[in-house]
Amino acid sequence: MKAKRTISICVAIVFALVILFPFYLVLINSAKESANIIIDPIGIPEKWMNLFSNIKKVINNEQYNYWAAFRSSIFITVASLFLLILFASMAAWRMCRSNKKWASVLLTIFVASMIVPFQSVMFPVLSVYRDISNFTGIRLLQSYTGIIFAYVGFGGPMAIFMLHGFVKKIPYELEEAAYIDGASSERIFFQIVLPLLRPIQVTIVILDGVWFWNDYLLPSLLLGQSGKIRTLPVAIASFIGSYVKQWDMILTAALMSMLPMIILFLVAQKQIVKGMVDGAVK
């Protein structure tokens, strides 16, 4: 038993080192100049104080425009998560409590849509967005509305699947008692069901929040590389030219972009594990 445990610990340590190695590269190279990164990319920096000077350069870079990109990332992430949690909770609760056939069919469709790769639908999404904008006059490309709508749509199936499994564990007697007391469906959902969903909602917020915050492909398609609205991952591309790549600025900006999500994960990691276990479909 001790030998097996020792082997398991060693394997876990190796996997942890492999996973953390890219973050190590970003951290140490953020404290170097671009030339030193090319010469010795895995060596320890001579002066860690270079990290603060690189951060200052990134913040003051007019082309990167850090604070505008940071505000856009915050708004898009928070708004998308709020709408996703609200609509997914409503849908999961309604499908779980319904005895009709359409509810199980709809849940199956949501689950099946989770296996569809985004790369296969990204260009049709652009075409549909253009058609909707031309028909309704509502601007979806290069706008907050379009990117938030896309994140809610693409994140909905997984959120509904996780919430549906959690709702099953909530005793229906609580809702029946409220119905007997004359409470409406809206009041039952917002005052009884929604607060009980908090553990799994925190899990969804962390998982999807990391995705929304770090995503590059969808914002680059819907917002564009040179538009007024840019998220942090898209703005980092401004340091990449056709012939010159400012690796010190790129890695420093990447480090600054990662830190908020790392802090959030460390603070809420217990809630993540609890929500994943409680929301599992048995």
Side-chain angles (χ1 to χ4, degrees):
M1 292 295 293
K2 289 185 178 180
K4 290 183 178 180
R5 185 177 181 183
T6 302
I7 293 173
S8 300
I9 293 174
C10 292
V11 171
I13 292 173
V14 171
F15 274 109
L17 292 175
V18 171
I19 294 171
L20 291 174
F21 186 69
F23 179 74
Y24 164 78
L25 289 179
V26 172
L27 179 61
I28 62 172
N29 288 314
S30 297
K32 299 178 184 177
E33 296 180 355
S34 186
N36 293 332
I37 295 173
I38 298 173
I39 295 171
D40 186 13
I42 62 174
I44 301 297
E46 296 179 358
K47 296 180 180 180
W48 282 98
M49 294 302 294
N50 288 336
L51 174 61
F52 299 101
S53 62
N54 286 341
I55 290 175
K56 187 176 180 180
K57 290 178 184 177
V58 168
I59 293 176
N60 294 332
N61 188 284
E62 295 182 1
Q63 188 178 4
Y64 180 56
N65 203 349
Y66 172 77
W67 291 115
F70 183 79
R71 287 193 296 269
S72 295
S73 291
I74 287 285
F75 178 75
I76 291 171
T77 302
V78 172
S80 300
L81 288 174
F82 174 78
L83 294 176
L84 175 63
I85 291 296
L86 179 62
F87 293 147
S89 299
M90 289 180 176
W93 176 65
R94 187 69 183 92
M95 287 188 290
C96 185
R97 295 311 188 204
S98 177
N99 296 322
K100 296 182 180 180
K101 206 169 191 179
W102 67 263
S104 58
V105 172
L106 191 58
L107 179 63
T108 303
I109 293 174
F110 277 120
V111 174
S113 67
M114 292 169 59
I115 66 174
V116 178
F118 170 72
Q119 290 79 2
S120 64
V121 298
M122 59 184 184
F123 290 115
V125 166
L126 284 175
S127 178
V128 170
Y129 267 33
R130 290 193 187 98
D131 293 340
I132 292 176
S133 298
N134 294 333
F135 181 74
T136 63
I138 300 174
R139 186 176 180 180
L140 294 179
L141 294 175
Q142 296 185 354
S143 69
Y144 288 117
T145 304
I147 189 69
I148 292 171
F149 183 77
Y151 276 137
V152 173
F154 286 115
M158 187 192 74
I160 291 172
F161 175 69
M162 296 175 67
L163 285 160
H164 190 277
F166 196 94
V167 172
K168 283 184 176 179
K169 301 182 66 175
I170 299 176
Y172 184 62
E173 289 76 12
L174 294 174
E175 299 172 38
E176 283 184 330
Y179 276 122
I180 293 172
D181 291 339
S184 62
S185 297
E186 293 79 8
R187 186 175 180 183
I188 291 172
F189 174 76
F190 285 104
Q191 295 188 2
I192 297 176
V193 177
L194 195 60
L196 296 175
L197 297 177
R198 191 167 299 168
I200 190 66
Q201 287 174 344
V202 172
T203 302
I204 295 171
V205 165
I206 299 298
L207 296 178
D208 284 333
V210 171
W211 167 33
F212 297 164
W213 184 269
N214 293 327
D215 188 28
Y216 172 80
L217 183 55
L218 189 58
S220 64
L221 287 171
L222 301 184
L223 300 178
Q225 298 264 346
S226 58
K228 293 183 179 180
I229 302 173
R230 295 192 304 174
T231 59
L232 285 173
V234 174
I236 291 174
S238 63
F239 293 117
I240 302 174
S242 300
Y243 303 101
V244 179
K245 295 178 177 62
Q246 304 177 62
W247 287 113
D248 51 345
M249 298 293 97
I250 293 171
L251 295 173
T252 303
L255 178 65
M256 294 169 65
S257 177
M258 285 189 289
L259 285 178
M261 288 297 103
I262 293 174
I263 295 171
L264 181 61
F265 180 83
L266 292 175
V267 170
Q269 58 181 331
K270 291 184 179 179
Q271 286 284 351
I272 297 173
V273 176
K274 185 177 186 301
M276 291 293 287
V277 173
D278 292 345
V281 179
K282 299 182 178 179

